[in-house]
Amino acid sequence: MTGFLSILNELIDSAEKGVLKDKVYCVYISPLKALSNDISYNLITPLSEMEEIADKEFGIRIAVRTGDTTQSEKSKMLKRPPHILIITPESLAILLSSPRFTEHLAGVDWCIVDEIHALAENKRGVHLSLSLERLAKLSSYMTRVGLSATINPLEDVARFLVGYENGKERPCKIVDVQFIKKLDLKVLSPVNDLINVTHKQMHHRMYELLDELIQQHKTTLIFTNTRSATERVVHHLKEKFPKNYSENIGAHHGSLSKELRLELEQRMREGKLKVVVSSTSLELGIDIGYIDLVILLSSPKSVARALQRTGRSGHRLHDTTKGRLVVMDRDDLVECSLILKHALEKKIDNIHIPTNCLDVLAQQIYGIAVFEPMQVDDLYKLVKNSYCYKDLKRQDFIEVIEYLAGLFTSLEDRHVYAKIWYDEATGMLGRKGKMARVLYMTNIGTIPDETFVKVKIGDTAIGNIDEGFLERLKRGDIFVLGGQVYEFLFSRGMVAQVRASPSRPPTIPSWYSDMLPLSFDLAMGIQRFRKLISQKFENKRSKREVMGFINEYLYVDGQAAEAVYNYCKDQHDYIGIPHEGRIIIENYMDEDNKKITVFHTLYGRRVNDVLSRAVALAISRSQHRDVQVGITDNGFYLSCDKTVQPLTAFKLLKSKELRDVMKLAVERSEVLKRRFRHCATRALMILRVYKGHKRRVGRQQVSSMLLLNAVRRISEDFSILKEARREVLEDLMDIDSAVKVLEMVEEGKVKVEEVETKIPSPFALNLVVEGSADVVKADSKQEFLKRMHDLLQAKLALKKGKEN
């Protein structure tokens, strides 16, 4: 509401003076349809109360325009435009190419972008940054306002919001009040000892703890990291405490229908729900009534996400934000403790803003051409006003125009035709064909269509996996589906071919695509803590001193500090602690006499995805061996035969060559195939809707594969293929941070050590057991961890005995 106060004041003042025009004064952009409806409700209510106080109607109109808006409502807006237009980024782009409605947008005074962090970090934000420049072109002066509770660095997001003018940053004022509220955050463990406990005991105690916390508060919101976990928590709470939870509990996630989600949100506003369990769908600022406690089950993987989630509580003025992070293992404990520390010390992870996205550029250029003919130089200048395209090379810009203008005639064989005309002599371009506007309007947007992939052995269907999971697979990877183990062979369209592989452990856990990645900044924070505690042990500090340091550094209670101390002490005494100045490569033989190599690279899964693929390629090229790879946030592991030398392969990696190496590593991968389809669809090479018919995702993917081969014949650096590679390496993975890691190794800031062990070290245990979590029952997994821990304690006791 704060962003609207001065605007409402101006509109009421204009209404009282009789100078309120029939035009849009303010455009409010929201990333969620639900948030748009929420803001409309929260604006109309105070406005009607102001009219009641003034005892007259001001005639200020507010309207919501999203994909759900009916045709009759759209027609009404055209005849009598709202003074405040609440809209999603996609609907704004449609209006900017509608000549009749742009008359109402001419002279817009204000543009508010809410939850700007949720847009800036993906291609919806890139698309929006160009729409904002197009909107600003219609107005002689437009004030832009960005709102978010959790962004860093503020300066970069401010530049993203306001853009550039003739190569210079537009002026922007930053009001930093994100930490004005009091925080009451704690890390809780359901049990005293996270190792010497059975899964059944852990499971039982966790739900008892949840019930205790819920019953102590009026309304509780629980966040999980996956949709399946959301459903599981609701089911178990109902089952274990039927008297406490019957009709007063609900699940909220993206797989539910819009009607079910809206009904649940309304019930929560009305105070009919004691507890709601959500995945990521309630992270953003939807007003769902009063919440006095937020529980995070396991690590949210970033400080920003932790604050965004806990910020759903204490929405009343002067209320305290109250959150509890419940941990389930020792890695979780350390991670959540560092999240708590960074949150209290106001350290938020840096946001990644995608730049120079050529697929989004192609879509927006087409939208501009649909609206009006334009001079190429003027268009290039307009595009470079966007923060996301400030460094766009003229050559890349022209190549996108040449693709849209149909200069690559061989693509017509794949039904990709010219969409614009382009006169090189005059430098003018414009739309081509009668269907141009309809094609653009029906295919706009950046969010790809996704669906399930059928898994088959020959012609026999086995089950389904989601596309995000298939992206991670490469030939030879082992995974579990329906309790059976399969080896991935290849995919065609929306079908993945596999063969049964019952005797081999899985390399890709089934939950992999569902998990949130650890942020690089938080990972480095954990590494820093590891280094400090490692130095304490190396300097032979007493347990009392080390415990005091943990308590002071992490803001945790005595029980949590004891668990962190024991975990780190065992690791130090066994092989040493990997940290920001030390990468440890740990080799051991598993129970099947297979060599397992664990790279202790705690940089987050996006960085480890790069490093693991690069090492695997180096082994393949230099040692002529194939390895199986498993990755987590804390590192990655290779399963290989005894002759493979992982350290030798790692030393072959050079920071300046990493991009070229990764280009080779992803070139024939599933992830590039899928991402090329996404990029080709955004660039309108593949049309999702044609002549009113929606094309199934399977048909899109088949078209994409044929198209990929066609563009490769034109050039390996064809603009949209180039963009697919950039998206994989920069947005999905984090190649920039991976380059930094290799630079630190080359400069001697990070030492690389190799050790041989009989059993995995404490830090390696969780990493290697996660791969087998699909075939090993949860209680067996806990038993395995306990058995390994006991073996380790015996080895450490033996080692100390010899030293004495």
Side-chain angles (χ1 to χ4, degrees), residues 355-452:
T355 55
N356 299 327
C357 305
L358 302 180
D359 52 349
V360 174
L361 178 64
Q363 188 180 126
Q364 282 280 18
I365 289 174
Y366 186 38
I368 290 166
V370 161
F371 180 63
E372 62 179 353
M374 198 168 185
Q375 227 286 333
V376 165
D377 290 339
D378 293 337
L379 178 56
Y380 185 55
K381 186 179 174 184
L382 176 77
V383 168
K384 281 181 71 76
N385 282 346
S386 155
Y387 171 83
C388 299
Y389 293 96
K390 68 183 191 316
D391 300 320
L392 178 69
K393 291 176 183 173
R394 176 89 182 192
Q395 183 184 344
D396 288 336
F397 171 73
I398 293 297
E399 282 178 6
V400 169
I401 288 175
E402 287 174 348
Y403 141 63
L404 288 169
L407 264 64
F408 305 105
T409 52
S410 61
L411 291 178
E412 291 185 5
D413 294 340
R414 299 267 49 90
H415 311 293
V416 178
Y417 301 101
K419 294 172 178 62
I420 64 172
W421 56 262
Y422 170 45
D423 188 332
E424 284 188 73
T426 61
M428 292 297 293
L429 58 78
R431 73 179 186 186
K432 190 171 187 175
K434 295 176 183 176
M435 294 284 290
R437 178 166 279 113
V438 174
L439 282 178
Y440 175 70
M441 300 293 193
T442 52
N443 287 279
I444 204 166
T446 61
I447 301 170
D449 291 335
E450 292 205 346
T451 188
F452 286 114

Side-chain angles (χ1 to χ4, degrees), residues 17-35:
K17 290 174 180 173
V19 293
L20 193 66
K21 298 176 187 174
D22 266 355
K23 70 158 197 170
V24 178
Y25 282 87
C26 172
V27 174
Y28 169 92
I29 299 161
S30 154
L32 293 178
K33 291 178 188 176
L35 194 52

Side-chain angles (χ1 to χ4, degrees), residues 69-287:
T69 306
T70 63
Q71 195 54 51
S72 64
E73 288 171 321
K74 290 174 185 175
S75 299
K76 283 179 191 172
M77 287 183 212
L78 202 55
K79 289 174 186 171
R80 294 192 75 208
H83 299 111
I84 296 176
L85 176 62
I86 299 166
I87 199 165
T88 56
E90 292 76 15
S91 293
L92 174 62
I94 288 172
L95 290 187
L96 289 169
S97 294
S98 308
R100 288 175 67 196
F101 201 94
T102 48
E103 293 172 14
H104 300 312
L105 292 172
V108 165
D109 294 320
W110 302 282
C111 178
I112 299 174
V113 183
D114 200 1
E115 303 290 357
I116 192 169
H117 66 277
L119 289 166
E121 64 185 357
N122 53 50
K123 286 192 174 180
R124 285 185 86 197
V126 177
H127 195 273
L128 174 63
S129 74
L130 287 173
S131 291
L132 290 176
E133 294 308 324
R134 293 173 65 188
L135 184 61
K137 188 170 175 273
L138 296 172
S139 173
S140 54
Y141 181 80
M142 181 180 77
T143 300
R144 307 185 199 194
V145 180
L147 305 174
S148 173
T150 52
I151 45 175
N152 189 57
L154 283 167
E155 294 75 16
D156 280 358
V157 181
R159 292 183 190 106
F160 166 81
L161 172 71
V162 301
Y164 289 68
E165 194 80 54
N166 299 318
K168 294 180 181 176
E169 293 175 14
R170 291 191 181 105
C172 178
K173 285 186 179 176
I174 295 173
V175 182
D176 186 2
V177 292
Q178 58 185 325
F179 293 106
I180 205 163
K181 294 197 79 171
K182 291 178 184 173
L183 297 176
D184 175 7
L185 306 178
K186 286 180 184 172
V187 175
L188 303 176
S189 169
V191 291
N192 294 335
D193 188 337
L194 287 162
I195 280 287
N196 294 304
V197 62
T198 66
H199 172 72
K200 190 175 180 181
Q201 289 168 333
M202 171 85 81
H203 190 259
H204 180 69
R205 183 62 196 117
M206 184 195 82
Y207 283 103
E208 280 189 340
L209 175 62
L210 291 182
D211 182 54
E212 287 167 20
L213 291 168
I214 293 164
Q215 296 309 320
Q216 288 166 11
H217 296 84
K218 182 175 177 286
T219 310
T220 301
L221 176 58
I222 300 175
F223 279 104
T224 68
N225 286 345
T226 65
R227 293 170 183 181
S228 55
T230 296
E231 295 287 0
R232 197 161 58 243
V233 170
V234 171
H235 171 74
H236 284 306
L237 282 172
K238 280 183 170 182
E239 190 180 61
K240 290 177 181 295
F241 309 100
K243 290 182 181 177
N244 294 344
Y245 311 103
S246 51
E247 300 301 314
N248 61 350
I249 186 171
H252 192 290
H253 55 73
S255 295
L256 296 173
S257 69
K258 172 191 155 193
E259 290 73 24
L260 276 174
R261 289 200 308 271
L262 288 175
E263 182 197 344
L264 184 131
E265 288 161 23
Q266 189 55 39
R267 285 175 66 204
M268 200 152 188
R269 279 192 197 99
E270 292 166 0
K272 292 178 179 176
L273 293 175
K274 180 76 174 169
V275 57
V276 169
V277 187
S278 170
S279 54
T280 57
S281 52
L282 288 178
E283 275 183 3
L284 299 182
I286 301 170
D287 178 16

Side-chain angles (χ1 to χ4, degrees), residues 586-597 640-644 755-760 788:
E586 178 182 349
N587 299 307
Y588 73 94
M589 305 304 291
D590 71 5
E591 291 165 350
D592 298 320
N593 208 30
K594 191 100 172 165
K595 181 178 179 178
I596 305 291
T597 299
C640 48
D641 67 38
K642 297 174 189 177
T643 60
V644 171
V755 298
E756 305 290 328
T757 60
K758 296 290 184 188
I759 55 172
M788 288 294 148

